């Protein structure tokens, strides 16, 4: 008997993780990516302990840790450089069993991709439509090179997913969160001392996180209109940070101009009623795009993939039941994180000097007298464990 066929739409972190998880569950997987090449943006990302456990379930966790640099669960400064909250990797390791791991986006893609069978990935092939199918009828997937049937379809084509919009016509979709994010991987001489963490200013933040090797990951946000751009994004960003504490502006100035990537932040603030329809499962940003403030976007997509494969791995004869069970397991957790991340974004993007001052005072007080409250805040996120086969 041939293996059940799963089609995955989208070659980002969620799509790659889903393809790997379903392959390990016994499916023949076809992964379609509309871009001609998998060319991950020159950026980094942080993976909290929950994401690392999900990667462990895919036998990819140890390789990710080897390619990562450890970081604490929270390290926050004011715009003038004064520390508000500071925790280190050792404290995070003690509380959650793992430090936060920071690595290049391209490295995570590579770890997942190299574990997929040859021929799984089809680049330069956009999926144009999906028919969800039923218990008795296979799903149908239309691509630019032809149509095919599938026992299961996984939609992982990002926050502004066209396929999601077709499946849930009445849902408003993703909305602009009100700010943009700039990211860059920049060179760094390890002989130069550098404090890693995030800085909160008025109307935006900036951060510097460690990477293995002689580079660091830098990011910044600002309240700007959607779709806006500058002729030289690096120069514009350096100008924004010129009166922030050192060496934020200097780090971005050391990046190649083309290495500074700007993207508008979109999130799904109205939860989808479900993450499934017929034989289709929706995961990652396509299901629950969130602002980057909790650093959980990639982690939740990987969790989705592991949970989906857990429910689908029993028998494809019951795939409609499997995707329904996946949806039930994921909607509550991810919708709550979308809301929590949006609330944090509202606080850190606030451009009122008075409210920003109150925010900083409260954070500083917690960091000074009750730092354990941070673990209490993040524990429901970081304590997640992969489902175990019964």
């Amino acid at each position: 008997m041939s293996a059940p066929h799963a089609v995955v739409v989208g070659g980002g972190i969620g799509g790659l993780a889903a393809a790997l998880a379903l392959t390990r569950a016994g499916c023949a997987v076809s992964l379609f990516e509309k871009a001609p090449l998998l060319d991950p943006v020159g950026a980094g990302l942080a993976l909290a302990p929950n994401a690392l456990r999900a990667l462990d379930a895919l036998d990819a966790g140890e390789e990710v840790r080897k390619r990562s640099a450890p970081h604490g669960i929270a390290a926050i400064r004011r715009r003038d450089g004064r520390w508000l909250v500071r925790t280190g990797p050792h404290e995070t390791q003690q509380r959650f069993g793992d430090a936060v791991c920071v690595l290049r986006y391209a490295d995570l893609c590579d770890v997942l991709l190299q574990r997929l069978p040859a021929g799984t990935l089809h680049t330069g092939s956009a999926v144009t439509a999906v028919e969800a199918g039923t218990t008795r009828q296979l799903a149908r997937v239309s691509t630019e090179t032809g149509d095919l049937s599938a026992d299961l379809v996984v939609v992982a084509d990002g926050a502004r997913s066209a396929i999601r919009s077709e499946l849930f016509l009445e849902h408003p979709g993703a909305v602009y969160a009100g700010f943009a994010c700039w990211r860059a991987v920049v060179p760094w001489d390890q002989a130069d001392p550098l404090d890693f963490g995030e800085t909160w200013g008025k109307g935006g933040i900036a951060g510097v996180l460690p990477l293995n090797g002689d580079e660091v990951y830098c990011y910044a946000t600002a309240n700007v209109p959607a779709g806006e751009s500058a002729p030289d994004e690096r120069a514009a960003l350096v100008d924004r940070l010129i009166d922030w504490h050192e060496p934020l502006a200097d780090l971005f100035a050391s990046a190649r101009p083309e290495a500074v990537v700007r993207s508008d932040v979109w999130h799904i603030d109205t939860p989808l009623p479900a993450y499934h329809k017929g034989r289709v499962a929706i995961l990652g940003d396509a299901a629950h795009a969130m602002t980057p403030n909790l650093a959980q976007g990639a982690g939740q997509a990987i969790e989705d993939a592991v949970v989906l494969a857990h429910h689908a791995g029993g028998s494809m004869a019951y795939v409609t039941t499997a995707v329904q069970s996946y949806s039930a397991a994921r909607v509550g957790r991810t919708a709550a994180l979308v809301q929590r991340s949006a609330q944090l974004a509202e606080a850190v993007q606030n451009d009122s000097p008075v409210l920003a001052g109150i925010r900083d005072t409260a954070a500083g007080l917690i960091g000074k007298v009750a730092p354990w409250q941070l673990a209490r805040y993040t524990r429901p996120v970081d304590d997640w464990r992969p489902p175990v086969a019964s």
Side-chain angles (χ1 to χ4, degrees):
M1 181 181 296
S2 60
H5 184 210
V7 170
V8 179
V9 184
I13 297 300
L16 289 168
L20 177 57
L22 291 169
T23 296
R24 291 170 57 86
C27 294
V29 179
S30 300
L31 171 57
F32 290 92
E33 166 55 45
K34 66 181 178 181
L37 294 171
L38 274 191
D39 186 20
V41 293
L45 75 166
L47 297 174
N50 58 299
L52 294 168
R53 293 188 201 99
L55 288 164
D56 285 336
L58 301 179
D59 196 28
E62 285 309 305
E63 180 64 22
V64 165
R65 291 178 180 89
K66 289 177 184 176
R67 299 192 186 201
S68 303
H71 187 56
I73 206 73
I76 303 168
R77 287 198 273 186
R78 296 196 331 176
R79 180 172 168 169
D80 60 10
R82 193 183 78 188
W83 285 102
L84 298 173
V85 179
R86 197 173 192 181
T87 63
H90 180 67
E91 295 163 273
T92 306
Q93 174 87 33
Q94 282 187 317
R95 288 187 179 276
F96 300 108
D98 254 313
V100 174
C101 283
V102 187
L103 75 164
R104 298 162 186 83
Y105 187 100
D107 280 346
L108 179 54
C109 287
D110 184 58
V111 169
L112 297 171
L113 185 60
Q114 70 184 2
R115 284 163 168 73
L116 292 175
T120 299
L121 176 63
H122 305 271
T123 55
S125 185
V127 171
T128 56
V130 171
E131 294 179 17
T134 65
T135 302
R136 297 183 179 181
Q137 182 178 350
L138 295 180
R140 294 288 297 173
V141 177
S142 298
T143 75
E144 293 176 329
T145 55
D147 295 354
L148 63 159
S149 60
D151 296 278
L152 169 66
V153 177
V154 180
V155 174
D157 56 345
R160 305 182 76 181
S161 167
I163 305 300
R164 179 197 62 225
S165 298
E166 291 181 2
L167 296 173
F168 294 92
L169 294 174
E170 296 183 0
H171 188 268
V175 298
Y176 183 52
F179 62 97
C181 183
W182 290 259
R183 297 167 291 167
V185 173
V186 304
W188 170 57
D189 184 348
Q190 295 190 41
D192 294 336
L194 185 61
D195 289 321
F196 297 110
E198 186 168 279
T199 300
W200 290 359
K202 181 172 68 71
I205 61 174
V208 183
L209 299 181
L211 294 170
N212 63 359
D214 55 357
E215 294 177 316
V216 294
Y217 170 45
C218 300
Y219 61 92
T221 67
N223 299 332
V224 292
E228 190 178 77
S229 62
D232 185 338
E233 292 292 356
R234 184 188 66 171
L237 182 58
V238 169
D239 187 58
R240 285 182 180 274
L241 297 174
I242 202 67
D243 59 348
W244 292 46
H245 69 78
E246 296 180 350
L248 292 173
D250 290 341
L251 283 170
F252 273 106
S254 70
R256 302 186 317 276
E258 68 275 11
V260 179
V261 178
R262 173 180 177 161
S263 55
D264 292 338
V265 176
W266 296 77
H267 66 153
I268 299 179
D269 66 342
T270 300
L272 284 168
Y275 295 164
H276 75 286
K277 181 161 285 189
R279 291 174 175 264
V280 176
I282 308 174
L283 61 69
D285 284 350
H288 45 69
M290 60 188 71
T291 65
N293 303 84
L294 288 177
Q296 278 291 323
Q300 291 307 303
I302 302 166
E303 281 188 21
D304 287 345
V306 170
V307 174
L308 175 61
H310 169 76
H311 288 287
S315 172
M316 281 292 173
Y318 304 101
V319 67
T320 53
T321 301
V323 294
Q324 185 175 0
S325 298
Y326 153 76
S327 180
R330 296 301 296 165
V331 167
R333 173 172 170 79
T334 54
L337 291 182
V338 170
Q339 183 181 38
R340 180 182 288 198
S341 193
Q343 291 169 343
L344 186 54
E346 185 177 0
V348 300
Q349 294 298 136
N350 198 298
D351 55 12
S352 162
V354 173
L355 293 178
I358 293 172
R359 172 202 67 197
D360 292 351
T361 299
L365 184 62
I366 292 173
K368 184 178 294 185
V369 303
W372 51 269
Q373 287 281 10
L374 292 170
R376 188 174 178 181
Y377 179 80
T378 63
R379 187 171 296 281
V381 181
D382 298 324
D383 259 359
W384 179 89
R385 298 291 195 278
V388 177
S390 55

